[in-house]
Amino acid sequence: EPAALLILGSKEVFNKPEGVATDGAGTIYVADRNNDRVAVFTATGAFVRQFGVSEKELKDKPGSLRLNKPKAVAVDGGGNIYIADTNNSRVLKLSATGYILLELGRKEISGKGEAQFKNGNALGEFNKPSGLALDPSGDIYVSDTNNHRVQKFGPDGSFILAFTLPPAPDEPGEEEEEDEELAKPELGEPVGIALDGAGNIYVADKEGDRALKYSPEGTLLFTFGAKG
């Protein structure tokens, strides 16, 4: 069996990490969900710094970046860091030093005390985004999980495209509901997202127990996988 090159973290370091990315130098970025941060490590696993603090830490570090259960992280060629700040229903673009360069999604709705955020379903808004991908042009792809869709934005945050996942397939042997409203199938819930060299978009669908491939224009090409 292949030997592990690096085992990073432990229960003392991470609390439910969900996303990881690397940059050109091999630096490792981890979306450490329940610690409300993105932690940064060298290619050999030495801790460098973190972006984001929990609500408890914010009391001792006023003015710090407050993340709320981030689930995904990505890094572009310039070293900028993109974070799916899931429970704040927004996506952030940070400089390599942590300065906020761009914020996508529903903005702050309360200026008193800690910032409060609201879920949104209009184009350009999010409801629990949990996946990120970048293309070579700097466009940003977001798995807008609880809105059952993927959204695409330009490098400046301008909205480009959105497409909704199809309903999740019925499970084998599932009995039909007499009530049509109850029988309405659940739409897919996109989580992980990736791109290939041709710009096709691959989406992991948590609700449908499947993966889907879309064209760069958002046309569904095929699905693969099933519950099992």
Side-chain angles (χ1 to χ4, degrees):
E1 294 183 2
L5 298 179
L6 175 67
I7 297 176
L8 183 63
S10 64
K11 288 186 177 180
E12 287 71 38
V13 176
F14 297 133
N15 190 344
K16 301 294 189 296
E18 289 211 18
V20 66
T22 59
D23 63 18
T27 305
I28 305 164
Y29 302 77
V30 180
D32 189 11
R33 187 189 75 185
N34 282 6
N35 280 327
D36 297 315
R37 65 174 184 166
V38 168
V40 186
F41 301 83
T42 66
T44 56
F47 178 77
V48 177
R49 64 172 300 173
Q50 71 178 51
F51 299 102
V53 297
S54 67
E55 183 176 359
K56 181 179 180 180
E57 292 173 315
L58 191 64
K59 296 177 182 179
D60 298 322
K61 301 176 182 178
S64 299
L65 175 65
R66 168 71 171 110
L67 298 180
N68 193 345
K69 303 298 182 287
K71 289 188 175 182
V73 61
V75 186
D76 67 20
N80 300 304
I81 303 142
Y82 300 73
I83 301 171
D85 188 12
T86 303
N87 281 17
N88 278 333
S89 287
R90 62 178 179 170
V91 169
L92 296 173
K93 176 183 178 180
L94 308 180
S95 70
T97 56
Y99 180 77
I100 296 178
L101 302 175
L102 184 67
E103 181 178 12
L104 302 176
R106 186 64 66 92
K107 300 297 190 296
E108 183 178 337
I109 61 172
S110 174
K112 297 180 180 180
E114 184 188 346
Q116 301 294 313
F117 295 83
K118 184 179 179 181
N119 301 330
N121 58 17
L123 295 177
E125 297 177 346
F126 304 119
N127 188 343
K128 303 295 191 295
S130 58
L132 287 175
L134 307 172
D135 68 19
S137 299
D139 293 331
I140 308 162
Y141 300 74
V142 182
S143 287
D144 187 9
T145 304
N146 285 9
N147 280 327
H148 311 284
R149 66 187 177 186
V150 169
Q151 297 197 69
K152 177 183 177 181
F153 301 86
D156 61 352
S158 56
F159 173 81
I160 296 176
L161 173 73
F163 56 86
T164 301
L165 270 64
D170 292 334
E171 294 184 20
E174 186 175 21
E175 296 182 2
E176 294 185 4
E177 297 280 357
E178 292 183 4
D179 189 317
E180 291 185 2
E181 189 65 29
L182 291 175
K184 185 177 180 180
E186 293 289 337
L187 294 174
E189 292 185 3
V191 282
I193 185 169
L195 308 172
D196 66 19
N200 296 305
I201 307 160
Y202 298 78
V203 182
D205 174 13
K206 179 176 68 173
E207 176 65 29
D209 294 303
R210 61 187 172 175
L212 306 98
K213 178 181 179 180
Y214 290 85
S215 73
E217 298 74 33
T219 300
L220 180 61
L221 300 176
F222 62 83
T223 67
F224 51 100
K227 187 177 182 63

